[in-house]
Amino acid sequence: MKIVSRTVGLSSLETALLVLPVTSQEVERAGKKGKRSGGRISGALAELEKVCGCDLAGRLRELGMHGKEGQSALLTFPGVGKIRAALVVGWPTKTESAFETGMKYRKLGSLIADTAKRARAKQVALHTATLDLKNDSALQALVEGTLLTGYSFRNYKEKKEDEFEGAEQLTLLSARPVSEKVIARGQLYAESTAYARDLINLSPRDCTPSYLMQQCKEIAKKSGLRVEVFDRKALEKLGAGALLAVAQGSEEPPYLVKLVYKPSKKSKRIISLVGKGVTFDSGGLSIKTGPGMESMKCDMSGAAAVMAAMRAIGQLKPAFEVRGYIPTTENMINGQATRPGDVVRASSGKTIEILNTDAEGRLILADAITMAEKDGCDVIVDLATLTGACMVALGTDYAGLFANDDRLAEKLTAAGDVSGEHLWRMPLAKEYKDWIKSSVADIKNLGKPFGGAITGALFLEEFVVKAKWAHLDIAGPAFVDGDAGFIRRGGVGFGVRTLLNYIQSV
Ligand code: BES
Ligand code: ZN
Ligand code: ZN
């Protein structure tokens, strides 16, 4: 969908659908004035009344529309003028947190996209007088919400003849033009999120480690990044025994892919992003249950977020270096598969006793974090659908955030708030460090039955040497089974916008 800004008034507007946010005060005023002065009302409502030539206040009253938050009313004006329908939306006036403000605008965008689709409106206009589009994050959230709601994954579906693909254009009507730059940024953020969603939603027989590796090469070509691919042979040379152990039971070859964005002016600062890329997690010999496996194509959501972010970073061109590391493999079972009890050596030199082959994410991340550390960088942020325990702890709307640096944790949380993604800080509890000690190796990949998200994070911390580091356990919010506003069923693309906002805030 195209999003443009125009400074025309309602009288010269031609549109299938006009969306008009109003506050309860405006509606109240309109009602009173309407009674006293024979139907004349003020503001945007007055403008619309003039154009459509009807008793708007009366119709809204009839529909029980008081302009309260969460209320909306669809009015149609058949055969009257150039505006065929209007969606009047209750708009709250109270001030909120950055998260709530962004959500409010994202939800409005969602309502616009949904209503346009239901009404089969190709052209939609939004009256913006009540909104605060001078606030860049509000405008960006509106654009993101509209575009992300229009997302659907149709790769494997036959196209129906009469399918309506959503509105073609949204026109923002305002007294002064709104920022084209911010609209473009919202488009880039939404398009990047959709890219991650597509990767996650693909069938795992199509989205293999080789496919992710090929996609990284494409990203590098299109976004002007450097790419380096470590295949099985190169991984053996590096001694990446943890990643190789996970890949052992699969017919698909594993990779560790490195994407590098370099700024035009030399910079000392380097940020590394690491994403878990398990394209299917069967659990290995510690096999999952049938239902537990159903959504396990989503186990590369961390990789998808990092790849999508790197793709956009090539266009956003920050003033410092950003590197993306994508360790990717399947976690499958054959005669070669890793057994519970196997001891392997990671590229850091540490030995790991693999007690549960389903705790494979931490193994592949260990070798990727080690590579980021050996390459040298200031900050490492990893994203991983790491533990079911994190989902138990925080539910489906919050990602767990672990960090060895308070400022980094704060920056990421703030970036999440602006993006509409909740990150909740969890402790790197020293008290539980003993829980991952092994009797036969340096560490083991399994803790106790409780605190699984924490012991998963503590395991990763063992491979962090110098960098400021944060780990986002996105097992909860990465994948959903139903549509919810701008979040559509399937892969969410969680973390893409948070990473981009974080990179822009550094
Ligand atoms: N990929 C899973 C975690 C997961 C669960 C992601 C549900 C998304 C939704 C991970 O590899 C895993 O299986 N973790 C185990 C760890 C345990 C064996 C220590 C888990 O959470 O049960
Ligand atoms: Zn697993
Ligand atoms: Zn996994």
Side-chain angles (χ1 to χ4, degrees):
M1 189 196 308
K2 233 173 98 184
I3 300 185
V4 297
S5 150
R6 296 268 178 282
T7 50
V8 295
L10 288 188
S11 50
S12 50
L13 179 76
E14 183 167 357
T15 189
L17 177 67
L18 170 73
V19 178
L20 192 74
V22 292
T23 62
S24 49
Q25 290 96 311
E26 279 176 285
V27 176
E28 208 176 298
R29 226 183 305 134
K32 282 187 193 141
K33 259 198 162 176
K35 263 187 223 154
R36 262 190 270 128
S37 57
R40 283 202 51 77
I41 53 182
S42 64
L45 283 169
E47 251 189 281
L48 178 61
E49 177 156 275
K50 225 187 276 168
V51 179
C52 71
C54 68
D55 172 18
L56 254 191
R59 281 181 75 175
L60 290 179
R61 222 177 305 123
E62 255 171 42
L63 291 167
M65 171 63 181
H66 304 293
K68 287 201 188 113
E69 184 175 2
Q71 280 193 318
S72 64
L74 185 63
L75 310 171
T76 50
F77 313 112
V80 178
K82 288 186 281 184
I83 299 175
R84 278 192 278 131
L87 179 74
V88 181
V89 184
W91 192 247
T93 45
K94 60 181 188 299
T95 46
E96 305 114 330
S97 66
F99 183 88
E100 285 166 340
T101 303
M103 261 330 188
K104 184 168 87 173
Y105 281 91
R106 246 173 240 108
K107 277 188 185 157
L108 174 63
S110 208
L111 187 64
I112 293 170
D114 271 341
T115 312
K117 195 158 191 191
R118 251 186 298 127
R120 297 179 84 90
K122 285 203 173 139
Q123 303 288 327
V124 186
L126 172 67
H127 198 288
T128 67
T130 316
L131 309 178
D132 180 17
L133 296 189
K134 284 197 295 294
N135 174 348
D136 285 354
S137 19
L139 173 57
Q140 192 178 328
L142 174 70
V143 173
E144 289 173 7
T146 310
L147 298 177
L148 287 173
T149 305
Y151 175 88
S152 71
F153 182 73
R154 316 211 48 91
N155 266 47
Y156 304 113
K157 288 208 187 255
E158 202 180 332
K159 199 171 180 289
K160 292 195 192 96
E161 280 290 307
D162 62 342
E163 202 164 293
F164 183 76
E165 301 208 357
E168 283 164 10
Q169 182 166 307
L170 171 65
T171 307
L172 307 176
L173 305 170
S174 58
R176 275 200 221 123
V178 302
S179 165
E180 299 280 345
K181 211 175 107 201
V182 176
I183 293 180
R185 195 162 66 208
Q187 279 167 328
L188 176 67
Y189 276 44
E191 198 252 321
S192 306
T193 308
Y195 174 78
R197 287 180 180 181
D198 278 346
L199 289 179
I200 302 164
N201 288 332
L202 274 175
S203 149
R205 69 186 267 141
D206 294 332
C207 182
T208 58
S210 308
Y211 180 82
L212 287 187
M213 179 271 284
Q214 288 295 348
Q215 282 292 308
C216 285
K217 285 186 174 172
E218 289 276 309
I219 290 171
K221 213 189 304 163
K222 286 200 182 126
S223 295
L225 311 178
R226 248 183 32 205
V227 63
E228 214 175 321
V229 177
F230 297 86
D231 61 8
R232 199 191 295 268
K233 234 181 169 176
L235 291 168
E236 277 164 8
K237 228 168 148 189
L238 286 174
L243 169 55
L244 287 169
V246 178
Q248 232 170 263
S250 167
E251 307 295 321
E252 293 288 339
Y255 296 97
L256 205 167
V257 189
K258 183 172 151 189
L259 286 166
V260 180
Y261 160 79
K262 273 193 185 292
S264 51
K265 270 197 211 142
K266 250 197 154 119
S267 159
K268 278 198 197 132
R269 180 180 277 155
I270 300 165
I271 310 256
S272 293
L273 311 175
V274 180
K276 173 179 173 182
V278 173
T279 59
F280 185 74
D281 183 8
S282 73
L285 282 170
S286 315
I287 195 166
K288 287 184 183 296
T289 61
M293 227 184 271
E294 275 173 20
S295 65
M296 279 306 126
K297 67 173 183 182
C298 83
D299 216 17
M300 35 59 73
S301 294
V306 170
M307 287 165 66
M310 290 305 297
R311 191 169 169 266
I313 283 164
Q315 296 177 45
L316 291 168
K317 302 195 194 307
F320 48 86
E321 185 166 337
V322 187
R323 299 173 182 161
Y325 294 87
I326 293 104
T328 178
T329 176
E330 283 186 325
N331 187 22
M332 300 289 275
I333 309 174
N334 62 20
Q336 305 280 302
T338 293
R339 315 148 192 85
D342 278 351
V343 175
V344 300
R345 189 181 293 279
S347 48
S348 72
K350 278 200 170 125
T351 55
I352 304 167
E353 183 185 13
I354 300 176
L355 282 179
N356 191 314
T357 61
D358 197 12
E360 84 298 341
R362 62 200 73 184
L363 298 174
I364 75 167
L365 290 172
D367 281 329
I369 290 173
T370 296
M371 185 179 278
E373 278 283 10
K374 284 190 174 165
D375 288 345
C377 59
D378 304 289
V379 175
I380 298 176
V381 180
D382 80 70
L383 283 88
T385 43
L386 203 71
T387 66
C390 198
M391 204 168 172
V392 172
L394 299 176
T396 52
D397 288 11
Y398 284 70
L401 162 64
F402 298 83
N404 64 5
D405 183 84
D406 290 344
R407 243 181 79 80
L408 175 59
E410 280 160 21
K411 281 205 157 203
L412 284 165
T413 309
D417 283 346
V418 178
S419 324
E421 299 184 318
H422 280 306
L423 308 184
W424 196 260
R425 184 108 184 244
M426 308 257 277
L428 286 162
K430 284 193 188 68
E431 295 83 348
Y432 306 159
K433 275 203 162 180
D434 283 351
W435 296 4
I436 55 168
K437 283 205 172 130
S438 160
S439 53
V440 296
D442 295 329
I443 45 170
K444 58 183 183 182
N445 78 333
L446 187 63
K448 290 195 180 180
F450 306 116
I454 299 175
T455 43
L458 288 173
F459 182 96
L460 299 180
E461 197 186 17
E462 291 287 323
F463 299 88
V464 178
V465 185
K466 276 210 290 221
K468 291 177 184 159
W469 161 73
H471 157 59
L472 272 55
D473 192 332
I474 60 170
F479 197 82
V480 292
D481 51 18
D483 293 340
F486 68 94
I487 294 176
R488 312 309 287 180
R489 87 166 46 117
V492 171
F494 189 95
V496 176
R497 300 188 310 281
T498 296
L499 282 179
L500 294 179
N501 278 328
Y502 163 67
I503 291 292
Q504 302 220 296
S505 77
V506 169

